[in-house]
Amino acid sequence: MDGTDTIQNWLDGKYGKNLFLLYDLKKAEISRPFFLYYLRKIKNHKMSNTVGNTSPVLMVLDEIDKMSEGGKAVDFGLFQAANLGRENGLQILLTSQSLENLFGCAPDFNEHITNGGLAGFPQLLCFRLGDPKTISTMQTLFGSEYRERIILPASRYDNVLIKSEKEPIITDEEFASLRTGECVIKIDSHRPQKVYINMEGK
């Protein structure tokens, strides 16, 4: 109650650099409130105006959306941290099977907060997708461009038509063609690129 607990001790550097939180479904009902408290405490500490310069913190959140259950969201300020935390040394590595799953990390499962919060991630990496909503959102985040198409006339006496249309930089076909180990990555304002991650030497 007075602000002193083991998480505060870790933030003060008393327990080393790394902290691992294991979320076990068998104990989910009793452990969930504590996990949310810990995550919120770390986020608030790093983003406090009174803390000053502290060591950077990398929060690796592997499928954090799995902590949401029924009407209970995993709301600890994730998207606030993503958008505002970098200048305070708080970086977030977030993984999810589907962007719709991330609605469970926003207050009241708010879709707009989730989509807006994704803009706070300067690096985006996407493997082969399985649902239209995620594909559409990733195409928006990766950007669009105008492409010219030549339309041949039905009659040789008619003129060739050149049509310019705005299309996603990464098309549905390009997402569908990604093989094991291939992904699309976008860094800051650079154009998204398809890359291959070699896992053989793991």
Side-chain angles (χ1 to χ4, degrees):
M1 297 298 291
D2 59 1
T4 58
D5 52 35
T6 54
I7 289 295
Q8 189 62 52
N9 290 337
W10 176 75
L11 288 166
D12 291 338
K14 297 179 182 178
Y15 294 133
K17 294 182 178 180
N18 300 320
L19 175 68
F20 297 92
L21 302 178
L22 178 61
Y23 187 67
D24 188 347
L25 285 177
K26 186 172 70 172
K27 301 177 181 177
E29 195 64 32
I30 59 173
S31 63
R32 186 178 181 279
F34 294 100
F35 277 105
L36 290 176
Y37 169 78
Y38 297 150
L39 293 170
R40 189 177 295 111
K41 182 93 176 195
I42 294 170
K43 185 265 298 183
N44 289 344
H45 178 83
K46 288 299 299 177
M47 296 180 64
S48 172
N49 293 327
T50 62
V51 171
N53 293 328
T54 58
S55 299
V57 170
L58 170 63
M59 296 181 73
V60 181
L61 304 173
D62 184 15
E63 298 194 35
I64 187 68
D65 50 88
K66 299 300 186 290
M67 281 184 60
S68 66
E69 183 180 356
K72 302 175 184 176
V74 195
D75 177 20
F76 62 93
L78 168 64
F79 300 112
Q80 178 195 38
N83 282 288
L84 304 175
R86 285 194 305 277
E87 63 187 56
N88 297 311
L90 178 60
Q91 300 181 18
I92 296 173
L93 174 59
L94 178 66
T95 68
S96 177
Q97 295 292 332
S98 166
L99 290 180
E100 286 188 317
N101 290 345
L102 293 180
F103 297 166
C105 297
D108 301 319
F109 297 84
N110 191 297
E111 175 182 353
H112 302 292
I113 292 177
T114 303
N115 292 337
L118 291 174
F121 290 86
Q123 287 87 34
L124 298 170
L125 186 148
C126 182
F127 290 92
R128 185 168 180 171
L129 302 171
D131 66 280
K133 176 65 176 180
T134 302
I135 292 174
S136 174
T137 304
M138 293 306 298
Q139 286 175 330
T140 301
L141 293 171
F142 284 152
S144 302
E145 63 184 0
Y146 283 97
R147 291 179 180 168
E148 290 187 348
R149 297 186 182 277
I150 299 177
I151 302 175
L152 298 176
S155 169
R156 62 179 177 157
Y157 299 107
D158 295 330
N159 295 325
V160 173
L161 178 64
I162 298 177
K163 195 173 184 180
S164 180
E165 295 180 330
K166 194 172 186 180
E167 297 181 355
I169 293 176
I170 307 298
T171 64
D172 292 2
E173 292 77 15
E174 288 175 298
F175 277 129
S177 67
L178 292 175
R179 298 175 296 173
T180 302
E182 289 183 333
C183 62
V184 178
I185 184 169
K186 185 178 187 301
I187 301 175
D188 295 324
S189 60
H190 297 286
R191 185 184 180 88
Q193 299 287 329
K194 184 167 80 170
V195 300
Y196 174 73
I197 300 176
N198 187 356
M199 301 294 288
E200 293 178 1
K202 182 178 178 181

